[in-house]
């Protein structure tokens, strides 16, 4: 896979970080901020596979949270398509690959992907989470590293879910 690397210097920690941008992603670098927080913004869109979910942190009965978290967790193949930072501080190399993406239009996107009935149950705290697995189109992608913790956020533009198939199980009659 062809990669594009932009060398950056994180001013606060003095660490050498490289932005890895897979060419196949379809995302184009808009700008990189190294002032206070280290992050990179991208334009364009990327089609990725994985699971999108609305989830109550620590469960639906925990009233410390006013809204559920809306996260997209890419599958392994799709994670390799997403831009990320790598710390190269010999002899150490640490990859900050994207493990989850905070979805900025989460409620709207989950309504479209999972349906209003399931989202209503989530918002009424009758379920801990709602999740759907398939392919999704992400836009307004931003990736960063804060205090040695990677983060990413994007808007979910479109959900392409596999057709739900029901299978009826039948048992063979016993006989000789």
């Amino acid at each position: 896979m062809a990669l594009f690397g932009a060398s950056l210097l994180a001013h606060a920690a003095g660490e050498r970080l490289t932005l890895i941008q897979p060419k196949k992603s379809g995302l184009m670098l808009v700008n990189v901020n190294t002032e206070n927080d280290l992050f990179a913004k991208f334009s364009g869109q990327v089609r990725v596979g994985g699971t999108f979910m609305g989830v109550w942190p620590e469960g639906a009965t925990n009233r410390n949270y006013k809204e559920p978290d809306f996260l997209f967790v890419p599958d392994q193949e799709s994670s390799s398509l997403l831009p990320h930072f790598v710390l190269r501080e010999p002899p150490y190399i640490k990859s900050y690959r994207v493990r989850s993406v905070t979805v900025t239009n989460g409620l709207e996107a989950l309504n479209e992907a999972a349906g209003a009935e399931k989202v209503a149950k989530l918002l009424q705290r009758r379920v801990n989470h709602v999740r759907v697995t398939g392919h999704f189109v992400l836009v307004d992608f931003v990736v960063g590293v804060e205090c040695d913790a990677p983060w990413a956020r994007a808007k979910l533009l479109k959900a392409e879910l596999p057709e739900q198939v029901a299978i009826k199980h039948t048992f063979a009659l016993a006989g000789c």
Side-chain angles (χ1 to χ4, degrees):
M1 174 179 290
L3 301 176
F4 168 78
S7 292
L8 303 172
L9 191 60
H11 298 295
E15 299 169 332
R16 189 157 177 82
L17 290 169
T18 304
L19 176 63
I20 304 299
Q21 183 181 357
K23 289 189 186 270
K24 289 185 177 182
S25 74
L27 297 171
M28 295 168 285
L29 182 63
V30 173
N31 73 333
V32 178
N33 184 357
T34 59
E35 295 279 322
N36 296 322
D37 296 324
L38 176 65
F39 64 88
K41 290 184 179 182
F42 296 86
S43 65
Q45 61 185 30
V46 61
R47 183 179 181 269
V48 288
T51 302
F52 173 44
M53 65 184 87
V55 59
W56 286 106
E58 300 178 30
T61 58
N62 186 333
R63 299 292 179 168
N64 293 328
Y65 300 94
K66 296 189 186 317
E67 293 182 354
D69 289 339
F70 297 99
L71 301 172
F72 171 71
V73 179
D75 57 30
Q76 190 170 8
E77 181 181 333
S78 295
S79 181
S80 68
L81 288 176
L82 298 174
H84 61 280
F85 288 97
V86 173
L87 171 66
R88 298 180 196 273
E89 193 78 279
Y92 306 104
I93 296 177
K94 179 171 177 145
S95 176
Y96 293 105
R97 285 183 93 174
V98 175
R99 294 197 173 123
S100 68
V101 177
T102 300
V103 178
T104 57
N105 64 330
L107 187 57
E108 173 190 333
L110 194 60
N111 253 322
E112 183 182 321
E117 184 179 324
K118 289 181 181 178
V119 173
K121 286 181 183 179
L122 177 71
L123 295 177
Q124 295 165 0
R125 296 179 183 262
R126 293 177 23 210
V127 296
N128 289 327
H129 68 273
V130 171
R131 63 182 172 190
V132 291
T133 300
H135 284 90
F136 304 89
V137 177
L138 302 178
V139 296
D140 300 334
F141 187 78
V142 182
V143 64
V145 177
E146 183 177 335
C147 297
D148 200 37
W151 58 268
R153 70 176 178 257
K155 183 177 178 182
L156 197 145
L157 186 64
K158 182 178 175 185
E160 301 168 358
L161 306 178
E163 185 177 335
Q164 302 298 312
V165 178
I167 299 174
K168 181 178 178 183
H169 294 282
T170 57
F171 298 97
L173 298 173
C176 302

